[in-house]
Amino acid sequence: MRFGKQQQDCGSREKGKSEGPERPDAEIRALLEGLGLGGMVIDRLALRAEVNGASLEQEILAERLITETGLYAAMAAFAGLGHMAVIDSDHIHQNPLLDTQLVRPTTLRLNPRQGPSRTIIVPELDKLVALRQTIRDAPMLAANMAVSTPSEVRRAVWQVGEKQRMHQTLGTLFDRRPDASARITLFAGQGFAAGLGLALCLATLVIVPEFAVNLFHVLLSLFYLASLALRYCATHFFRRMPAPAPLELQNNLPVYTVLVALYRESAVVAQLLERLSMLDWPVSRLDIKIVCEADDLETIAAVEDCAPGPQFEIVRVPPGEPRTKPKALSYALQGARGDFLAIYDAEDRPHPGQLREAYQTFARLGKDYACLQAPLVIANGGHGWLTAIFSIEYAGLFRGLLPFLARLGLPLPLGGTSNHFRTSVLSECGAWDPYNVTEDADLGMRLYRSGYRTATLLRPTLEDAPTDIGAWMGQRTRWFKGWLQTWLVMMRHPVRVFSDMGWAGTGCFHLLITSMLVSSLGHPLLLYFLFTGFSSMLHAERFDPVVISLFIIDLVNIIGSYMIFTLLGRMAMITAERRRIGIRFLMIPVYWMLLSAASWKAIFELRTNPFFWNKTEHIPASRSNGRRCNTEI
């Protein structure tokens, strides 16, 4: 199966390309005509290369008019050099600058144990005539030089640097800032504080049980009220997302990297590659990396069978623990060629214009903004009550709460997909924590602590929610476990967090993460307080203002939370979405009890298996039962 190529005529980490090449001279034109390209095609591609800020050979390969091997073999013959189709990675000497060849392959030195050293080069068409003249002037150079393709150079370098790159992936954040890494679940001081706090709670419960219960009741109610107040503000100041503005047609676009981490996802590979091929960005300026575990042979074979275009590259991550998505992404980041970088999941169907909107938004907002979050829209919300409430939850979060927080300049807990970054800032801040299983929330807070801000986009990404409770529970347990990891990381140095984030940022963190964790864990207990309070009032012989006050607070917390949850989500939805969901929102109490079960499960899993990544199985959208949702939301 082959996927369609883009025909758009639209700077980057690939230096030296910003001005675009000159029109090919007669000799290069003759070379290309000898490969079967007509004169009009050559002129069109040369013009497109100038418009896109790419090289002529990149545009030729983007059109898939000539194979990469065929083009570079012809260039080698023209220059009077040999062509090396396969590079023996055992002959490559590892050095600190080797990974620069992943970003822009140009030169590679081979040092075999026997025989002379050789230099592998990746020539450019606009410098090919000069290269040939150099070889003619110094013919002895030809004996120790050969031409290879950019893809083959990158493949060999990926293979050679595996161990060093994996060491850097696992150790960069921990070595730079151990207090910001979830590699250690509890620092010694945290463990002591947790033990002391638990002992004090138990002692208070034994000595003054009524006081202890009432105090805990009040504190739990306050957390609920704080979380409720935040979401009420989001509904009160809600602004319906406007229709996306028309995209500007811009020339000389930078390279844009797209990372997609796959593990046991062969079923959705064809759908994923097809949707990524629809992205409205010049193929010659796209760097799409399909990041797979090296031992996941089925998924790798599925990608290769689809014969994706030249903008795609398979990155094989050496197997090893922890086997997490953030580890795979951080490993692949070391070869990212783009100034900007986007993250997608296996089942995602991003809006084709999302990259252009992100690029234009970055340009408008300035360099203080390091990340943009696109809205995630659940496309199978009509499948059943579970997906319907998941859809309400996502609509309220990505089209209601996050845009509200972004307008106020507050920290955002990122979604795990459809994040767009400035690549340099992402690397500067330590990228993703390979030990945090909800790496998005952690990274969102770390970017804010580093002085960067996050904004939101309008063009969405479609996803499908889990359709059965088992898959949902596994996914949500992992999310809660990661939020717990993030909370523990942030609470290692609360004073430092306050210094980094200020009053507003620190308060937002606690409203988003702390209150969410407490309210999820305490939801059954709050329901228990509500029913015991009601029972006490029914059987009380005299008026007790304390019991009545707590009952009213509990009632407001429970009913208000359900209502605000539903209201914010439905306000953000379009009419078709609300119609598909119908009255399934009445199952929200059951959904919230499931949330509580997942949060408690996460606590035990954090103790026994902190880095376990509970895999969510995905199926192609055409096989899911929910009707598709319009991407223009």
Side-chain angles (χ1 to χ4, degrees):
M1 181 188 301
R2 290 184 180 271
F3 295 110
K5 55 183 178 292
Q6 297 168 314
Q7 300 292 335
Q8 309 98 320
D9 285 336
C10 315
S12 106
R13 299 175 85 190
E14 293 183 322
K15 304 301 181 184
K17 300 293 185 182
S18 59
E19 298 300 325
E22 298 177 357
R23 299 299 177 89
D25 61 23
E27 290 184 280
I28 299 301
R29 181 181 292 273
L31 169 67
L32 296 177
E33 288 176 348
L35 292 171
L37 299 183
M40 293 182 63
V41 173
I42 295 171
D43 289 338
R44 175 171 59 84
L45 294 178
L47 176 61
R48 182 175 295 170
E50 293 183 24
V51 168
N52 289 340
S55 66
L56 178 56
E57 60 269 20
Q58 287 172 333
E59 292 298 340
I60 292 172
L61 295 175
E63 289 271 346
R64 306 181 80 171
L65 299 175
I66 305 173
T67 65
E68 187 182 43
T69 300
L71 176 61
Y72 281 90
M75 292 167 69
F78 180 91
L81 295 172
H83 176 248
M84 185 174 288
V86 178
I87 299 172
D88 188 344
S89 58
D90 290 338
H91 295 169
I92 300 175
H93 175 67
Q94 191 167 342
N95 63 78
L97 299 179
L98 185 62
D99 278 2
T100 61
Q101 299 302 307
L102 296 175
V103 177
R104 186 172 178 238
T106 55
T107 309
L108 199 60
R109 188 74 171 168
L110 301 186
N111 298 294
R113 291 188 178 88
Q114 296 179 348
S117 299
R118 299 192 73 184
T119 299
I120 304 300
I121 64 170
V122 180
E124 300 174 3
L125 279 172
D126 60 339
K127 299 175 182 176
L128 196 59
V129 174
L131 174 63
R132 183 179 66 177
Q133 188 59 49
T134 300
I135 297 299
R136 286 176 175 176
D137 293 342
M140 71 288 298
L141 293 177
N144 295 322
M145 292 180 66
V147 169
S148 193
T149 65
S151 296
E152 180 58 20
V153 170
R154 283 196 291 265
R155 182 205 63 78
V157 172
W158 277 119
Q159 187 172 348
V160 170
E162 281 184 351
K163 291 183 179 179
Q164 177 181 334
R165 203 172 296 115
M166 183 54 67
H167 176 76
Q168 187 172 342
T169 297
L170 297 178
T172 294
L173 181 62
F174 183 75
D175 293 340
R176 278 194 215 163
R177 297 177 57 188
D179 61 316
S181 170
R183 183 171 173 176
I184 299 174
T185 302
L186 279 175
F187 275 24
Q190 289 180 296
F192 175 78
L196 180 61
L198 181 60
L200 287 175
C201 289
L202 291 175
T204 306
L205 189 61
V206 170
I207 298 171
V208 280
E210 185 175 352
F211 171 78
V213 170
N214 287 335
L215 178 62
F216 184 76
H217 188 172
V218 170
L219 292 176
L220 180 60
S221 298
L222 290 176
F223 272 108
Y224 250 90
L225 282 173
S227 181
L228 176 62
L230 176 65
R231 283 157 179 78
Y232 171 76
C233 290
T235 59
H236 186 71
F237 295 101
F238 176 79
R239 299 178 188 172
R240 181 168 294 280
M241 297 177 69
L247 294 170
E248 302 173 15
L249 291 178
Q250 294 177 299
N251 298 334
N252 210 13
L253 294 172
V255 174
Y256 214 119
T257 293
V258 175
L259 299 183
V260 188
L262 303 184
Y263 182 56
R264 300 203 308 263
E265 296 284 10
S266 58
V268 296
V269 160
Q271 170 186 281
L272 171 69
L273 298 185
E274 183 175 24
R275 293 307 294 245
L276 294 178
S277 296
M278 295 168 62
L279 290 172
D280 180 18
W281 199 265
V283 170
S284 60
R285 311 303 282 163
L286 268 177
D287 169 35
I288 303 178
K289 298 189 186 302
I290 307 300
V291 189
C292 302
E293 296 288 329
D295 57 1
D296 185 9
L297 302 181
E298 185 177 356
T299 301
I300 293 173
V303 176
E304 293 175 335
D305 288 346
C306 289
Q311 70 271 40
F312 290 91
E313 177 186 10
I314 299 175
V315 176
R316 293 167 172 82
V317 180
E321 298 300 328
R323 197 179 285 256
T324 63
K325 172 184 168 184
K327 184 196 78 172
L329 293 177
S330 290
Y331 183 87
L333 176 65
Q334 296 170 79
R337 295 188 285 123
D339 291 336
F340 300 96
L341 181 147
I343 302 297
Y344 293 116
D345 279 344
E347 78 279 18
D348 285 355
R349 284 93 73 196
H351 189 290
Q354 198 178 105
L355 299 191
R356 283 187 180 266
E357 183 189 358
Y359 175 58
Q360 292 174 14
T361 304
F362 274 126
R364 185 180 74 252
L365 293 178
K367 294 186 178 180
D368 286 345
Y369 282 82
C371 179
L372 303 173
Q373 172 70 63
L376 304 181
V377 176
I378 298 302
N380 64 338
H383 181 275
W385 71 268
L386 188 66
T387 61
I389 299 176
F390 200 112
S391 181
I392 292 173
E393 182 180 22
Y394 260 39
L397 177 63
F398 289 102
R399 287 177 271 167
L401 182 60
L402 294 190
F404 169 69
L405 296 175
R407 288 197 301 271
L408 297 178
L410 295 173
L412 272 63
L414 302 175
T417 176
S418 302
N419 312 139
H420 297 255
F421 299 96
R422 296 184 188 274
T423 308
S424 59
V425 175
L426 181 61
S427 299
E428 171 198 323
C429 292
W432 300 273
D433 184 353
Y435 297 95
N436 191 311
V437 296
T438 312
E439 77 292 341
D440 39 15
D442 167 71
L443 182 56
M445 297 301 157
R446 190 157 15 101
L447 286 171
Y448 191 90
R449 292 184 65 182
S450 299
Y452 295 102
R453 298 295 175 263
T454 300
T456 56
L457 299 173
L458 296 176
R459 286 170 173 81
T461 295
L462 298 186
E463 285 195 335
D464 288 333
T467 55
D468 66 90
I469 291 178
W472 180 95
M473 182 64 70
Q475 182 187 69
R476 197 56 62 112
T477 298
R478 173 169 57 82
W479 291 359
F480 273 112
K481 184 168 63 174
W483 290 327
L484 283 164
Q485 288 178 307
T486 301
W487 187 86
L488 289 171
V489 165
M490 297 281 282
M491 288 297 98
R492 287 169 181 170
H493 302 288
V495 176
R496 191 180 303 170
V497 168
F498 176 77
S499 176
D500 292 341
M501 303 180 74
W503 282 103
T506 305
C508 184
F509 162 73
H510 286 296
L511 287 173
L512 291 171
I513 304 297
T514 310
S515 68
M516 180 268 296
L517 290 171
V518 171
S519 59
S520 296
L521 292 167
H523 189 67
L525 191 58
L526 199 64
L527 289 173
Y528 170 78
F529 286 146
L530 180 69
F531 287 116
T532 56
F534 181 71
S535 176
S536 297
M537 288 191 300
L538 283 180
H539 299 93
E541 296 180 356
R542 60 184 179 83
F543 178 82
D544 190 337
V546 174
V547 172
I548 294 175
S549 299
L550 288 175
F551 173 78
I552 292 174
I553 293 173
D554 292 340
L555 191 63
V556 169
N557 275 330
I558 296 293
I559 304 301
S561 296
Y562 293 161
M563 290 180 63
I564 294 297
F565 179 91
T566 306
L567 178 63
L568 184 58
R570 288 178 63 84
M571 286 172 65
M573 288 178 166
I574 61 174
T575 303
E577 289 178 285
R578 291 194 292 269
R579 188 181 300 119
R580 275 197 297 273
I581 288 169
I583 62 170
R584 294 188 179 102
F585 62 83
L586 296 176
M587 293 293 289
I588 284 176
V590 177
Y591 190 84
W592 279 38
M593 288 300 291
L594 289 174
L595 286 174
S596 185
S599 64
W600 280 103
K601 184 181 177 185
I603 285 186
F604 293 107
E605 198 171 282
L606 182 65
R607 174 67 181 85
T608 59
N609 204 356
F611 312 130
F612 172 65
W613 187 278
N614 200 310
K615 176 77 177 64
T616 304
E617 299 296 332
H618 301 114
I619 61 173
S622 59
R623 285 164 50 192
S624 61
N625 295 329
R627 288 189 294 174
R628 303 276 66 79
C629 187
N630 189 341
T631 60
E632 296 290 349
I633 293 178

